[in-house]
Amino acid sequence: MDIASHGLWGGVFFGRKNRKTFWQAFIFGVAPDMLSFGIFFVQRIYSRGFDFLSGPPPVSIIPPYVSSMYNTTHSLIIFAAAFFVVWILRKKILAPMLAWGFHIILDIFTHNEKFFPTPFLWPILDYKFDGISWGHPAIWFSNLGLLMLFYLLFWRRKRLLRGLKNQENQV
């Protein structure tokens, strides 16, 4: 799935409490891709401009550190360990962090074996599910449509609750 969608899904599902939690969830939603591809992406823009808009780069030119970081940031095992450490240290759940786990779950089904299938059981198993690429029109347009629907419902509910709160204050 594209990085912006990951942030938006994280925000709408795990960051509805307030602006702060929205942005925390958004950041946790994009973090797995930013941490694995971020440096390579910036280097590529600096050296080649925006040629990436024509499609993904050949896997052969992607540095090995990207794969290592991808394995780490896209593992449900690593996510669960980090989530529980944070939970223990804080003595309560950091709900926006669940956007990281949701990112991985979305990627399992929206990445295929041709370009960075999701190593969700790494480092225990090397199994990767061969999903349907997020660039496929059925996935791409479904994703956009569902995001629009969920944000419409989110904003409508927020507006309704704000109206009810104003009515209570007037009584």
Side-chain angles (χ1 to χ4, degrees):
M1 183 150 308
D2 67 286
I3 193 166
S5 291
H6 281 303
L8 292 170
W9 281 116
V12 78
F13 281 152
F14 306 107
R16 294 186 308 231
K17 186 176 177 183
N18 55 43
R19 275 196 177 118
K20 180 182 176 185
T21 61
F22 174 86
W23 287 110
Q24 286 174 335
F26 187 93
I27 289 167
F28 275 113
V30 300
D33 287 342
M34 290 301 292
L35 292 171
S36 51
F37 285 101
I39 294 169
F40 173 69
F41 180 75
V42 170
Q43 288 172 331
R44 187 131 165 109
I45 289 173
Y46 181 73
S47 66
R48 305 207 35 193
F50 288 91
D51 71 342
F52 65 86
L53 294 174
S54 61
V59 177
S60 61
I61 70 162
I62 298 175
Y65 74 84
V66 173
S67 292
S68 296
M69 287 301 296
Y70 189 82
N71 287 344
T72 304
T73 62
H74 285 76
S75 167
L76 286 173
I77 309 298
I78 302 298
F79 160 72
F83 183 81
F84 286 115
V85 165
V86 169
W87 186 359
I88 290 166
L89 292 174
R90 294 182 79 234
K91 297 182 175 61
K92 64 180 183 175
I93 289 175
L94 179 60
M97 194 175 181
L98 292 168
W100 174 10
F102 192 61
H103 174 125
I104 297 166
I105 291 167
L106 287 173
D107 274 1
I108 292 169
F109 302 104
T110 60
H111 281 232
N112 61 27
E113 64 185 16
K114 293 178 186 166
F115 192 77
F116 281 87
T118 306
F120 63 99
L121 297 173
W122 184 88
I124 296 172
L125 295 173
D126 195 32
Y127 175 76
K128 296 169 185 142
F129 182 78
D130 186 19
I132 302 171
S133 171
W134 60 269
H136 187 281
I139 302 297
W140 178 255
F141 289 111
S142 296
N143 174 52
L144 290 178
L146 287 169
L147 276 172
M148 286 190 277
L149 174 66
F150 276 95
Y151 272 89
L152 177 67
L153 293 172
F154 170 61
W155 284 319
R156 185 173 174 182
R157 181 177 180 269
K158 192 173 182 177
R159 200 166 143 209
L160 178 67
L161 290 173
R162 193 178 314 130
L164 291 173
K165 193 174 184 179
N166 286 341
Q167 284 179 351
E168 286 176 6
N169 291 337
Q170 292 175 358
V171 174

